[in-house]
Amino acid sequence: MASSPDYLRLATSSTRALADTALDSLRDAVVVVDARHKHLPVVLANAAARRCLTPASQAFGLIESSLQRWLGSASALWIETMLAELPDPGSPTRRVLEWCSAGGEISVITDIKPLAVVPGQRLVMLTFTPISEPQVQPQPGSQSSGDRRLLALTEHARDIIGVAGPDGTLQYVSGGVRNSLGYTSEERQSNSLFEHVHPDDREALRAEYQQLVDGEIKTYSREFRIRHKDGSYRWMEASYTSALHDPLIGGVVVNSRDITERKTAECRLAQREEVFRLAADAVDGVIYEWDVASGFVHRSRGVLEVLGIEPDDLEPTTDAWWERVHPRDFETLRKVTHLGLLSRRGWTTTYRIRDVRGRYRSILERTLVQRNAAGDPVRAIGCCVDVSEIKRVNDLLAETQRTANMGGWEYSYMTRELTWTDEMFRIFEANPREFGVSWDSMLAQCTPESLQRFQEACARTEAAGGQFDLELEITTFKNRRIWVRIIGHLELLDGRPFRSFGSVQNVQAQKLAQIALENSTGWLKLSMNMAHMHAWRWDRARDVFEFAVVDGQKEHSPSVFPGMKKLITEMHPADRHAVSRAIDDAFQYQLEVQKEFRLKSSNGRYRWYEAIARPLFDAGRVPRGLVGVIQDITERRDSEVRLRRSEELLRATTANTADTLMLVDTGLKIRFINKNVGGMSIEQIIGREIGVLLPESARQGVLEKLRHILDTGETATYEFESADADGVRHFENRAVLVRDDGIGTGISISTRDITERKRLEQEILDVSGRERQSIGRDLHDGLGQELTGVALMLRGLGSRVQERCPEAMDSINEIVALVNQSIENARSLARGLLPVRTETGGLVSALKELASRGRDLYGMQINFRAEVWPVLNLDETDASHLYRIAQEALTNSARHGHATLVDIFLLVSRNTFLLYITDDGEGFHLPTSPYTGMGLKIMKYRAGMIGAKFEIAPNAPRGTVVRVTGEQPLTAAPATGARH
């Protein structure tokens, strides 16, 4: 009775004590209450219930007591409310209830079931498994006051409780045997337990029963078939529990119930599932069933056909399917599924899903949703059909129509209805939701001339049958006039028009191209005449030339050049072989050839010509001749010669200059250079992109600057470094846009090697720094100490003078004040010349002093903050460069930016440093002259000296930002760091 309350359904028999002991032997607690009374009196309780709920001294205090006494307050209130609306008999429920046991409150799952008993009674049975059962032997003869009611209950029950001996002889059978199998208790008593069992089930049942009797097992359950009194077999489910050693029972307790209807339903369900499986396997797609509550999804073997995956290899969840959906379709599928579960109609959608080979298949999914009585979705059943091929064909058809600008139409003479494809709407530039398609509305878009031609064509076709094909001009719904080609086929029924169909193609582009071709042909002829260019054709078999003139007429070439042989003899001897070889190549390789050659004119001088020729072949691929054009290029060749001489003269003139001069075109390809560069000769450089001459590190930046010059016309000066075998070299470049009639045609670039200048600048800065340090130390250690000595001597002199001549003390004190002021001035000069000294706090202290002096000097609010960890590794010289950058930035903020607030921030980490200076001034402006902005150049140069990156940019919302970033040396220099 571990999961069913039916253990209590004992049938009446002449052996009432045996039934009581069988009920008391149950491990589950059984309590029966009378629901007719509000206080729910207990009318029956087995030994397990008494042991669990009452102490041993009050074992019978449970009978006739109120059920609320043995339940917690919440459980008592719930059971009272539930029993007030008692459902029909046979409708069980299950709930966790709090029972007041002898050892305290316990929460256990309780089965609650109304009992079908004598009319007028309302009995409810509650069963549960106690958490802890004390081993107490039942007391003989302990019967409750509800014995007669128990007999009535078991008499009407359908479950059977029996007791059998070791040999299987039945010692007791409850009254349920009549209701289930048609036998009376007396007919079954003293018979074998296995007498009516189906032969196929008997031996297995008997063998397991023998194991129970032998003590190998304590209990077991089995489903088997047993013969009804009418001769049919019924399915039974029985639980066998050994009570052979119980002196009150001395047998095996058998609890049986009729499960024939359940087995029949299971069989029918299995048959339906088999039919469903066969149908699912026959469908070209995936049929699935989704348990919405558990998330379990069962799919048919169509998964193998659609995705190439065995159904067992695909996890039975929605996530396993959804994770294969195309990312662009996933969100749409998720929303459609969610809305389908909320609505009562299910869903239909299409999406793409990835198969086992990584290809995406197009899926059409249609799903129905099953709901419970509350309207909540419990199950979704659907079908996923692979429509990849259908979609591919439709896409190809639609794409073909779009590519060809062609749509289809069909007209029924019976219904007067006209139907269009989607491409028709695009051709007419109409909205399908706003435009009603009809024969009249289509004709209304034709121009008057086209409408008349179309109606005449339709009339001829209706009279004689067949088809029509013509070009019409229409006005689209966006008021554009375009040309279309319409083709129509007519079907006749009994000699009368029945149906017509056809296509409409947008030929606007072809029509415009035809008009443009006609116009361009005229312009081409005129241009060829003005350019001294003539089209010609040579007949190889006859060796005859034909030339085309402007009016399109053909005329034979002058008699001096009747054919190719005569033409070649008049060529310059140096060009004859090349022209003959070109003609042979054209025929052999079927190629278009282009050649320049000199031809003797009538005055005996040679002129330059350029000819382009294409071979002609007959149907058998036999050469028939050549067709092409010829142009007099004598003037161009003379210009090229003059230009070449000018370039040679320019190159000779600029070859001895120290600078490298280049001219690049708008494609940044070098057209002129005056000397060899980078191991490449001038001939190797000409025609190549300028990037081949630039180092990899600077290439991208320089190319961007040159493109900016082409776009804006600005002049730019830039520098870059290039490493070679001799070390790092520095180059300064100046680029100027070259204009022709106001249009930029290229860039002139001059490049100068400034490596030596850079070295001298470095030496100047080093010498300047050393001199500053020397003068600073002299001021501090020399003049400062001497003035300090003078001040001390004056104080000593003042003491003696005060004794002898007190009236002179004012003058002496004034002299002492002047000396002290001179000492302070000397120290200020020393700090300015030698601002960063390790012994006075290093860079942090110097920047802090700079901010303090700046407040007094400029009257601005200057904030300084430093975060140094663990230590600043820069030596005094490198730290001085950072100090000078901050000093220059502060000066610029005050003098040029007119700022009122400056923030100086120094951040030092283990490997890097950052100097960050911002102000709220007028902002940063690029210098307008190469001779201005020296402060910025020096700041950038100082940053480069210590391997740092210098950046200056506008601040938001106003002002300027100066940023210097770099890496610390690996070895530490003596310094102090702190947070200020």
Side-chain angles (χ1 to χ4, degrees), residues 56-119:
S57 59
Q58 302 176 3
F60 297 98
L62 185 61
I63 304 301
E64 299 299 338
S65 64
S66 174
L67 179 65
Q68 288 92 331
R69 174 183 173 185
W70 310 105
L71 293 173
S73 58
S75 297
L77 179 60
W78 180 86
I79 198 74
E80 181 180 351
T81 304
M82 191 276 294
L83 293 180
E85 302 174 355
L86 189 66
D88 295 335
S91 300
T93 185
R94 174 173 289 186
R95 187 178 179 89
V96 176
L97 298 180
E98 295 181 355
W99 291 88
C100 300
S101 68
E105 288 192 0
I106 58 173
S107 296
V108 294
I109 297 177
T110 305
D111 290 317
I112 306 163
K113 184 173 183 181
L115 298 176
V117 292
V118 179

Side-chain angles (χ1 to χ4, degrees), residues 522-580:
W523 283 104
L524 177 61
K525 292 179 179 179
L526 181 60
S527 300
M528 290 176 62
N529 186 53
M530 295 179 64
H532 304 288
M533 182 180 293
H534 301 281
W536 55 268
R537 184 173 61 186
W538 172 54
D539 188 330
R540 184 183 185 188
R542 297 185 299 144
D543 191 20
V544 173
F545 275 115
E546 290 181 349
F547 285 84
V549 294
V550 175
D551 59 3
Q553 300 293 326
K554 295 180 181 179
E555 63 176 17
H556 289 282
S557 57
S559 58
V560 290
F561 301 129
M564 185 67 72
K565 292 181 181 179
K566 179 63 176 177
L567 180 66
I568 293 177
T569 59
E570 297 297 323
M571 289 183 184
H572 194 283
D575 300 333
R576 293 172 187 171
H577 177 72
V579 172
S580 299

Side-chain angles (χ1 to χ4, degrees), residues 554-613:
K554 295 180 181 179
E555 63 176 17
H556 289 282
S557 57
S559 58
V560 290
F561 301 129
M564 185 67 72
K565 292 181 181 179
K566 179 63 176 177
L567 180 66
I568 293 177
T569 59
E570 297 297 323
M571 289 183 184
H572 194 283
D575 300 333
R576 293 172 187 171
H577 177 72
V579 172
S580 299
R581 182 58 184 268
I583 295 173
D584 294 339
D585 290 344
F587 290 133
Q588 181 178 357
Y589 302 109
Q590 302 181 17
L591 297 175
E592 181 179 281
V593 293
Q594 181 176 354
K595 213 67 182 172
E596 295 181 1
F597 56 87
R598 287 160 289 184
L599 189 64
K600 184 183 295 185
S601 61
S602 57
N603 59 9
R605 301 178 61 183
Y606 284 99
R607 297 187 64 82
W608 278 96
Y609 290 89
E610 180 182 32
I612 302 175

Side-chain angles (χ1 to χ4, degrees), residues 660 673 675-686 688 692-694 722-726 729 731:
T660 301
I673 189 168
K675 61 177 63 177
N676 301 338
V677 176
M680 292 189 293
S681 65
I682 294 176
E683 290 74 15
Q684 292 173 324
I685 296 173
I686 296 298
R688 303 186 66 178
V692 299
L693 304 182
L694 299 173
S722 178
D724 56 17
D726 299 331
R729 305 197 68 81
F731 295 92

Side-chain angles (χ1 to χ4, degrees), residues 153-403:
L153 291 174
T154 56
E155 181 68 23
H156 294 85
R158 296 188 60 84
D159 291 3
I160 306 171
I161 298 178
V163 178
D167 59 352
T169 303
L170 285 168
Q171 301 172 1
Y172 165 77
V173 181
S174 68
V177 71
R178 177 189 296 275
N179 300 328
S180 296
L181 299 177
Y183 301 101
T184 65
S185 300
E186 291 76 11
E187 289 174 334
R188 285 294 292 154
Q189 212 160 354
S190 300
N191 292 339
S192 172
L193 184 65
F194 312 104
E195 179 180 2
H196 300 302
V197 176
H198 194 282
D200 294 343
D201 303 333
R202 186 178 302 154
E203 293 305 320
L205 192 63
R206 191 189 299 275
E208 204 161 7
Y209 186 85
Q210 189 62 44
Q211 292 179 351
L212 182 68
V213 171
D214 294 341
E216 297 178 10
I217 57 177
K218 294 183 180 181
T219 183
Y220 72 94
S221 297
R222 176 69 63 182
E223 293 180 359
F224 58 90
R225 290 163 291 178
I226 190 169
R227 189 171 65 248
H228 194 275
K229 189 174 182 178
D230 61 8
S232 64
Y233 278 96
R234 311 286 292 178
W235 276 97
M236 302 294 291
E237 180 183 50
S239 174
Y240 300 81
T241 304
S242 176
L244 293 170
H245 303 293
D246 191 327
L248 297 178
I249 300 178
V252 176
V253 180
V254 183
N255 299 277
S256 307
R257 67 171 64 181
D258 188 346
I259 61 170
T260 303
E261 293 182 0
R262 190 188 78 188
K263 295 294 286 186
T264 302
E266 290 176 353
C267 181
R268 291 175 180 171
L269 179 61
Q271 291 175 351
R272 288 201 302 270
E273 288 180 350
E274 180 65 16
V275 172
F276 169 78
R277 185 186 66 79
L278 294 175
D281 292 342
V283 172
D284 187 14
V286 181
I287 295 180
Y288 68 89
E289 181 179 2
W290 172 23
D291 189 325
V292 178
S294 66
F296 181 84
V297 181
H298 173 73
R299 300 182 180 90
S300 68
R301 289 194 58 80
V303 174
L304 180 61
E305 299 295 330
V306 175
L307 299 183
I309 303 174
E310 289 289 344
D312 295 340
D313 295 339
L314 185 63
E315 185 179 347
T317 62
T318 54
D319 291 341
W321 183 271
W322 285 358
E323 69 182 8
R324 307 183 73 87
V325 174
H326 195 286
R328 294 184 179 178
D329 300 339
F330 175 78
E331 190 63 26
T332 301
L333 176 61
R334 189 184 66 81
K335 290 181 179 178
V336 168
T337 303
H338 179 69
L339 293 175
L341 291 174
L342 293 178
S343 67
R344 296 183 177 273
R345 298 183 299 275
W347 63 87
T348 299
T349 185
T350 58
Y351 53 88
R352 292 163 290 178
I353 191 168
R354 188 179 69 254
D355 63 11
V356 71
R357 298 174 60 185
R359 301 174 306 175
Y360 280 98
R361 317 287 297 177
S362 294
I363 297 295
L364 171 64
E365 178 177 328
R366 291 179 176 173
T367 305
L368 298 177
V369 179
Q370 293 182 350
R371 303 179 181 276
N372 57 19
D376 299 325
V378 295
R379 183 176 291 100
I381 301 174
C383 180
C384 300
V385 181
D386 186 353
V387 295
S388 301
E389 185 62 22
I390 297 175
K391 188 175 187 305
R392 186 183 69 83
V393 173
N394 288 337
D395 290 346
L396 286 175
L397 179 59
E399 185 61 28
T400 301
Q401 289 186 349
R402 281 194 296 270
T403 303

Side-chain angles (χ1 to χ4, degrees), residues 643-656:
L643 178 61
R644 192 179 309 112
R645 291 173 181 172
S646 299
E647 288 182 354
E648 292 174 355
L649 179 61
L650 177 62
R651 190 174 292 112
T653 304
T654 59
N656 296 322

